[in-house]
Amino acid sequence: FIPYCSSDVWSGASSKSERNEYAFMGALIIQEVIKELVGKGLSTAKVLLLAGSSAGGTGVLLNVDRVAEQLEEMGYQGIQVRGLADSGWFLDNKQYRRTDCIDTITCAPTEAIRRGIRYWNGIVPERCKLQFKEGEEWNCFFGYKIYPTLRCPVFVVQWLFDEAQLTVDNVHLTGQPVQEGQWLYIQNLGRELRNTLKDVTASFAPACLSHEIITRNHWTDIQVKGTSLPRALHCWDRSLHESNKNGKAPLKGCPIHLIDSCPWPHCNPSCPTIRDQFTGQEMNVIQFLMHMGFDVQKMAQQQGLEPSKLLGMLSSGN
């Protein structure tokens, strides 16, 4: 476990100087940790799994190929390097309400990275860098843009309605019922995110409103289409072993591409419990949707259903 003390999405390579009073050395920290681990048993490993959550998830995407190259250069070609990126697959989408870039919370994702990469002297993988013009390297911080350029296998875990994404998009779900514009924006965010994952071979994307999963104690309980994350990761591991042996098609009954298709936050009944941010009270799906200003009568009408039938479907997650 490497604590996140570099504040640079694990990409920085700038040391403290007279001009810069802070050091941002996330990319170099990872290199040094790998060097140290080689002497602690990594040299005899078959697989190295680089995993991270949130900024660490984006850090996995930015560093997984570089770690593989580093080990090859050190003479350890036999170690297969893989990535597990949790809650680090952000979108450079339009904010719900545009705000000026005053601090990290109000700054649009693209602008924050654009400024940050210069400040940190951020390093992005060469193969991704070549896809973009000079000065446009910030694109490589966004999962759907860097993923097609990666050589190492990566498993992407991402809530379809990520709270950190909603925060930077200026959708704040506190206290007040959500307005119709926000509600449509949230649903659209889920659709956009689902689209960016369609060509990702190994993915687990529940339709929940949350942030980070592998660091939480409920990480084994969440299911997508009846499959839990540990099961999906096990299937992924097996599929990589099998394809190394004989390049076979995916294993039957062992899915690794799992993306919820239901359209709103918490329409998956295995989602973690939501707490009201003011009262701390737990809410079930229906209470949560009501709290969000979800009009059951109107929605039922649109779907051509009885309201009670719609409520039954919501609580069972269909």
Side-chain angles (χ1 to χ4, degrees):
F1 176 72
I2 318 172
Y4 183 41
C5 58
S6 62
S7 303
D8 55 12
V9 199
W10 298 102
S11 75
S14 75
S15 50
K16 188 176 170 178
S17 65
E18 283 168 26
R19 222 168 47 108
N20 250 355
E21 80 178 286
Y22 296 107
F24 294 98
M25 305 181 86
L28 308 179
I29 288 169
I30 290 180
Q31 275 183 344
E32 290 304 312
V33 168
I34 295 298
K35 276 187 212 163
E36 195 170 311
L37 288 176
V38 164
K40 295 185 186 297
L42 180 61
S43 56
T44 58
K46 289 191 176 70
V47 174
L48 167 64
L49 178 65
L50 191 64
S53 286
S54 196
T58 312
V60 167
L61 298 167
L62 289 170
N63 286 283
V64 69
D65 279 1
R66 285 183 53 249
V67 167
E69 282 155 24
Q70 181 186 352
L71 286 170
E72 273 169 35
E73 281 162 20
M74 292 170 79
Y76 301 107
Q77 287 89 344
I79 304 173
Q80 195 192 87
V81 180
R82 303 175 189 168
L84 170 57
D86 163 32
S87 302
W89 187 274
F90 291 101
L91 299 183
D92 52 343
N93 58 344
K94 275 204 168 78
Q95 292 173 294
Y96 174 63
R97 263 197 339 276
R98 210 197 140 275
T99 42
D100 290 326
C101 187
I102 300 158
D103 54 32
T104 44
I105 297 297
T106 56
C107 205
T110 322
E111 186 55 30
I113 294 297
R114 212 191 285 253
R115 292 185 188 197
I117 196 171
R118 293 198 299 266
Y119 193 47
W120 312 315
N121 187 21
I123 296 176
V124 301
E126 208 51 41
R127 276 163 63 96
C128 184
K129 197 175 175 177
L130 292 172
Q131 309 277 318
F132 300 101
K133 293 202 297 277
E134 200 176 333
E136 302 284 301
E137 295 87 353
W138 58 266
N139 282 284
C140 297
F141 281 71
F142 293 95
Y144 75 99
K145 294 180 178 181
I146 190 174
Y147 178 84
T149 71
L150 296 178
R151 287 191 164 131
C152 293
V154 174
F155 192 108
V156 177
V157 182
Q158 186 67 36
W159 303 109
L160 287 180
F161 305 96
D162 187 283
E163 286 176 313
Q165 177 80 56
L166 286 167
T167 299
V168 294
D169 287 340
N170 288 319
V171 176
H172 302 289
L173 305 173
T174 51
Q176 299 305 311
V178 170
Q179 297 154 344
E180 190 168 14
Q182 284 176 304
W183 179 238
L184 293 172
Y185 183 93
I186 291 165
Q187 285 182 285
N188 191 52
L189 174 71
R191 273 196 298 275
E192 282 183 11
L193 201 102
R194 195 181 291 119
N195 277 339
T196 64
L197 291 171
K198 66 177 186 294
D199 297 324
V200 174
T201 316
S203 48
F204 187 86
C208 308
L209 178 75
S210 196
H211 183 59
E212 301 191 347
I213 177 167
I214 61 172
T215 55
R216 312 276 180 192
N217 56 9
H218 59 242
W219 81 281
T220 58
D221 304 330
I222 318 299
Q223 295 195 352
V224 175
K225 297 180 168 47
T227 300
S228 69
L229 180 53
R231 170 86 180 137
L233 288 169
H234 167 75
C235 289
W236 180 53
D237 185 54
R238 271 186 59 196
S239 73
L240 292 172
H241 279 303
E242 297 290 324
S243 64
N244 272 1
K245 273 192 266 174
N246 51 18
K248 268 199 333 208
L251 303 163
K252 281 202 173 76
C254 211
I256 57 172
H257 182 76
L258 292 153
I259 300 172
D260 262 335
S261 49
C262 63
W264 46 69
H266 272 61
C267 54
N268 174 333
S270 73
C271 286
T273 314
I274 307 170
R275 287 182 183 277
D276 185 297
Q277 285 165 311
F278 284 126
T279 64
Q281 272 186 310
E282 293 191 349
M283 291 187 272
N284 65 26
V285 180
I286 292 159
Q287 289 167 326
F288 165 69
L289 289 170
M290 301 277 206
H291 165 78
M292 296 253 298
F294 183 91
D295 187 333
V296 177
Q297 299 288 122
K298 188 173 156 191
M299 199 70 194
Q301 225 170 358
Q302 284 172 356
Q303 308 272 341
L305 293 168
E306 286 295 310
S308 58
K309 178 123 196 278
L310 177 65
L311 287 176
M313 284 166 68
L314 288 175
S315 48
S316 71
N318 290 329

